[in-house]
Amino acid sequence: MIEGLNLPASVRSRSADVVIRRATPDDLDAIVRLLSDDPISAGRGDAARDEDRGAYADALERIVANPANELLVAVDEAGRVTATMQLTLIPGMARRGSTRLLVEAVRVASTERSSGIGTALMRWVVDAAAVELGASLVQLTSDAARVDAHRFYRRLGFVDSHVGFKYAVPAGPAL
């Protein structure tokens, strides 16, 4: 849990008010559903299988216990989890010792996409969370296949300034 982040926070989308709050173990199934509701995430194995629930529960526990991380959910007026995202605060040496706020795993329920919830969440990140946490830069990565998401982030003022790289660590010992 990141100290200094004022939660819960209410934000207004075009269609409804939502409350951004810290995720709890009770939100686990809803978060996993949001991950599996996304075709790219589902293609990487986020398929909401019962046998994977323990791995997700362990991940949630590690995120909540880490003072540099927040796993957040957006909840509508009926109490339904409609979106999620993870924030990570990264102190750094570059940019004269600036702190960055990394945004990861942003997911909005497919039934709520284009409703303005994603815009409301991201505006809260840059206008409130980053300021409260003293971050001078908000950054994120987005899979190259997420063309619509790239347009969305550019529309919000994000600049695609870097090229990201990933390396999948083998599960077993290297031969």
Side-chain angles (χ1 to χ4, degrees), residues 2 36 39 48 57-58 66 81 86 93 99 107 124-125 136-137 140 154 165 167 170-171:
I2 301 174
S36 67
D58 290 346
N66 186 320
V81 173
Q86 182 176 340
M93 295 298 295
T99 298
R107 300 291 187 276
W124 172 82
V125 168
S136 60
L137 186 70
L140 55 86
R154 285 185 199 107
F165 296 90
Y167 182 85

Side-chain angles (χ1 to χ4, degrees), residues 9-173:
S10 295
V11 297
R12 176 110 183 111
S13 72
R14 285 191 312 273
S15 61
D17 291 329
V18 295
V19 173
I20 302 168
R21 63 169 174 74
R22 289 179 172 94
T24 70
D26 291 339
D27 299 315
L28 181 65
D29 293 331
I31 293 167
V32 173
R33 273 194 304 278
L34 287 169
L35 293 171
S36 67
D37 186 32
D38 174 72
I40 293 173
S41 290
R44 287 183 259 187
D46 290 317
R49 294 183 304 257
D50 288 340
E51 60 266 23
D52 295 333
R53 194 171 195 286
Y56 290 113
D58 290 346
L60 175 60
E61 187 176 315
R62 287 191 314 270
I63 293 166
V64 169
N66 186 320
N69 281 284
E70 285 287 359
L71 185 59
L72 303 173
V73 292
V75 181
D76 67 13
E77 293 168 345
R80 291 179 302 241
V81 173
T82 59
T84 187
M85 68 178 149
Q86 182 176 340
L87 301 180
T88 302
L89 200 57
I90 306 171
M93 295 298 295
R95 298 178 186 242
R96 297 188 327 244
S98 70
T99 298
R100 298 167 190 239
L101 184 58
L102 176 66
V103 183
E104 282 290 320
V106 178
R107 300 291 187 276
V108 175
S110 58
T111 57
E112 299 298 326
R113 291 185 195 136
S114 299
S115 70
I117 290 175
T119 297
L121 292 176
M122 294 306 296
R123 293 229 186 274
W124 172 82
V125 168
V126 299
D127 294 341
V131 174
E132 291 168 7
L133 298 173
S136 60
L137 186 70
V138 175
Q139 65 186 35
L140 55 86
T141 60
S142 180
D143 191 289
R146 295 185 188 281
V147 178
D148 291 338
H150 301 167
R151 275 193 299 273
F152 167 74
Y153 291 123
R154 285 185 199 107
R155 183 174 53 78
L156 294 175
F158 285 80
V159 177
D160 47 344
S161 62
H162 289 67
V163 174
F165 296 90
K166 293 183 181 182
Y167 182 85
V169 177

